[in-house]
């Protein structure tokens, strides 16, 4: 059974009153949703709270889900809107629509900076995110699209190859080159972090 057919089957069971089917959907997508929210909200525990809110909203909205879009596409949209609404409610400025091309949180170096937040680290984290966004925006179109489909949309290499109309080997090469470009730009910034723990690889 294809992944989307499996999701649709779980959705159908939820709509018929089977709450355990929704638990399966949560388990399947919770990490991806938390990572997505992490692009908008820096605090990890806050991300978890917002993710919980996302799944509550999705559960309440599922009776109206008609399957016009894939379940994850629909869930992704709810997550983005919930994260932005959360920031607005907190009187914090949500990032622009272009955030979707930036997935700084996928890179270990950026994740390391989220531990034990201090004002200095918060500033560093913002610099990392801005730098990654700038690098990704400056990539050739085919590299930018490949890294975005992989890290932001969570597509498999096979799905990306089909979407971009090229062999899987080409997809792997493009993603490798995109990550390498980002890493080259990040390394000088991260090497400047004074905490010796940050430089352990």
């Amino acid at each position: 059974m294809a992944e989307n057919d499996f999701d649709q089957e779980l959705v159908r069971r939820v709509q018929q009153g089977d709450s355990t089917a929704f638990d399966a959907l949560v388990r399947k997508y919770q990490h991806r949703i938390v990572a997505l929210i992490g692009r908008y909200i820096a605090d990890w525990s806050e991300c978890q709270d917002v993710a919980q809110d996302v799944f509550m909203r999705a559960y309440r909205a599922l009776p109206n889900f008609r399957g016009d879009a894939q379940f994850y596409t629909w869930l992704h949209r709810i997550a983005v809107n919930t994260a932005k609404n959360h920031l607005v409610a907190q009187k914090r400025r949500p990032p622009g629509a272009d955030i979707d091309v930036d997935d700084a949180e996928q890179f270990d170096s950026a994740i390391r900076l989220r531990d034990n937040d201090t004002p200095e680290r918060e500033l560093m984290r913002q610099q990392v995110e801005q730098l990654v966004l700038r690098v990704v925006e400056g990539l050739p179109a085919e590299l930018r699209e490949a890294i975005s489909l992989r890290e932001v949309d969570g597509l498999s290499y096979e799905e990306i190859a089909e979407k971009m109309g090229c062999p899987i080997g080409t997809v792997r090469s493009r993603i490798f080159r995109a990550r390498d470009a980002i890493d080259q730009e990040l390394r000088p910034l991260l090497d400047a972090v004074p905490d010796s723990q940050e430089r352990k690889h």
Side-chain angles (χ1 to χ4, degrees), residues 108-135:
D108 291 342
S109 48
I111 290 171
R112 289 206 314 268
L113 293 169
R114 295 181 55 163
D115 298 332
N116 307 316
D117 275 353
T118 63
E120 292 79 16
R121 279 180 208 231
E122 174 62 18
L123 176 62
M124 178 67 77
R125 189 188 62 76
Q126 289 174 1
Q127 288 176 330
V128 167
E129 289 184 349
Q130 288 166 5
L131 180 60
V132 171
L133 179 60
R134 199 159 61 243
V135 175

Side-chain angles (χ1 to χ4, degrees), residues 68-198:
D68 297 331
Q70 291 192 0
F71 175 76
Y72 179 71
T73 304
W74 179 78
L75 187 63
H76 181 285
R77 197 156 48 237
I78 292 175
V80 169
N81 290 337
T82 303
K84 286 184 175 180
N85 290 341
H86 176 81
L87 289 175
V88 169
Q90 299 280 323
K91 295 186 167 52
R92 281 142 65 186
R93 188 168 159 269
D98 289 341
I99 191 76
D100 280 350
V101 301
D102 170 23
D103 209 21
E105 307 310 336
Q106 289 291 333
F107 298 93
D108 291 342
S109 48
I111 290 171
R112 289 206 314 268
L113 293 169
R114 295 181 55 163
D115 298 332
N116 307 316
D117 275 353
T118 63
E120 292 79 16
R121 279 180 208 231
E122 174 62 18
L123 176 62
M124 178 67 77
R125 189 188 62 76
Q126 289 174 1
Q127 288 176 330
V128 167
E129 289 184 349
Q130 288 166 5
L131 180 60
V132 171
L133 179 60
R134 199 159 61 243
V135 175
V136 171
E137 285 179 338
L139 290 172
E142 68 274 11
L143 301 192
R144 187 171 65 242
E145 184 181 2
I147 193 75
S148 180
L149 289 171
R150 177 65 180 168
E151 304 292 10
V152 181
D153 297 333
L155 298 187
S156 68
Y157 286 103
E158 290 81 2
E159 289 169 326
I160 297 170
E162 187 177 338
K163 200 171 184 73
M164 296 187 74
C166 63
I168 288 180
T170 304
V171 170
R172 290 185 188 280
S173 170
R174 287 175 181 175
I175 290 172
F176 174 82
R177 284 159 56 204
R179 285 178 175 156
D180 187 56
I182 291 165
D183 191 51
Q184 295 286 342
E185 294 290 335
L186 279 182
R187 200 170 294 134
L189 183 62
L190 294 172
D191 283 347
V193 176
D195 184 350
S196 62
Q197 288 297 110
E198 293 294 346

